[in-house]
Amino acid sequence: MTDAELAVDLLYWRNVKQSGGVFSSVLLLLFSLTQFSVVSVGAYLALAALSATISFRIYKSVLQAVQKTDEGHPFKSFLEVEIALSQDQIGKYADKIMLYSNTCMKELRRLFLVQDLVDSLKFAVLMWLLTYVGALFNGLTLLILAVICMFTMPVIYEKHQAQIDQYVGLIRTQVNSVVGKIQAKIPGAKRKEE
C-alpha cells in the first residue's frame, strides 16, 4: 500500500480504529501545543516514550530472571531494522523540494510583479482576507481547524456528493460571472481561455 492510499484510507475512516487513533493523537498534540511550548511538549512526549520503553525492558528482564529463560533484548528486532536514508531517497526528496520551491518562487514573482493584473488582484484580495483571518485566529488554531476538516470533510462529501456538487456548481457559475464582469471593466485585463 502506498503512502497516498494509506492517507486516503485514514481520511475516509476506512479503518475506524486507525483513523481515530491518528486523529485523536494529532488533536491532542495540537491542543497541548496551545498550552505549552513546543520544547515542553517534545520533552514530555520523549519522557513518556522513554518511560514506557524502560519500564517494558525492566519488566521483561525481571520476567526472564524469574522464569530463568534467555529470550534476549525485547527490542532486538527493532534495533536491527535499518533506518538510514539512501542517497537515492535523499536525492528524490531534495529534487521534489527544489521543484516545489522553484515553482512557488516563480508564481510569487509573477504575482508580485503583476504579470497578469487580474491574478495579482485576486492575490491581493486573498491577502486582504487573510489579514482578517489572522486577526481572528492564530496559526495553531487554524492548524487545529484544518486537521478537523481533513478528517471530516471527505466523509461528509462522500455521503452527500450530489447535493454538494450541485451547490458548488452554482457558486462557481456566480463567481465566474462576477470575475467576467470585473475583467470586462478593467482596462488591459486579458480574459483567459476556458
Side-chain angles (χ1 to χ4, degrees):
M1 181 174 282
T2 66
D3 292 339
E5 291 170 341
L6 181 63
V8 168
D9 286 348
L10 278 175
L11 296 178
Y12 280 94
W13 294 76
R14 303 285 190 241
N15 182 343
V16 176
K17 287 182 182 179
Q18 193 176 30
S19 293
V22 170
F23 180 60
S24 59
S25 299
V26 170
L27 274 185
L28 180 64
L29 175 68
L30 292 174
F31 280 124
S32 59
L33 284 173
T34 62
Q35 300 299 316
F36 306 105
S37 71
V38 173
V39 174
S40 296
V41 171
Y44 283 129
L45 287 174
L47 279 173
L50 199 54
S51 298
T53 55
I54 289 172
S55 300
F56 186 71
R57 171 75 195 270
I58 291 171
Y59 167 75
K60 283 297 211 176
S61 297
V62 169
L63 195 62
Q64 288 174 8
V66 169
Q67 294 178 346
K68 297 189 184 343
T69 61
D70 190 25
E71 293 178 11
H73 197 286
F75 298 117
K76 184 178 182 181
S77 61
F78 295 108
L79 289 170
E80 293 173 350
V81 172
E82 182 65 36
I83 59 171
L85 290 173
S86 70
Q87 287 285 22
D88 292 338
Q89 290 172 318
I90 291 173
K92 182 176 78 171
Y93 293 130
D95 288 344
K96 283 186 179 180
I97 290 171
M98 185 177 64
L99 176 69
Y100 292 136
S101 299
N102 288 339
T103 304
C104 183
M105 287 189 300
K106 286 178 184 175
E107 185 65 19
L108 288 174
R109 179 184 66 187
R110 189 181 76 75
L111 290 170
F112 279 106
L113 298 179
V114 195
Q115 182 177 353
D116 181 5
L117 181 63
V118 175
D119 285 347
S120 293
L121 287 174
K122 287 179 192 177
F123 185 66
V125 169
L126 176 65
M127 292 299 109
W128 178 69
L129 290 174
L130 284 179
T131 62
Y132 287 103
V133 172
L136 295 174
F137 305 105
N138 66 19
L140 202 52
T141 305
L142 289 175
L143 193 57
I144 291 169
L145 290 173
V147 167
I148 292 171
C149 287
M150 280 174 36
F151 278 88
T152 56
M153 298 307 258
V155 175
I156 291 171
Y157 180 72
E158 190 175 53
K159 289 182 179 178
H160 306 286
Q161 185 175 359
Q163 295 93 339
I164 292 172
D165 286 346
Q166 178 185 358
Y167 289 118
V168 167
L170 290 172
I171 292 169
R172 185 176 290 144
T173 303
Q174 291 297 321
V175 168
N176 287 341
S177 171
V178 170
V179 167
K181 289 176 184 176
I182 290 172
Q183 284 179 336
K185 294 186 185 217
I186 295 176
K190 59 181 180 191
R191 178 123 175 120
K192 289 184 180 176
E193 304 295 325
E194 293 183 36

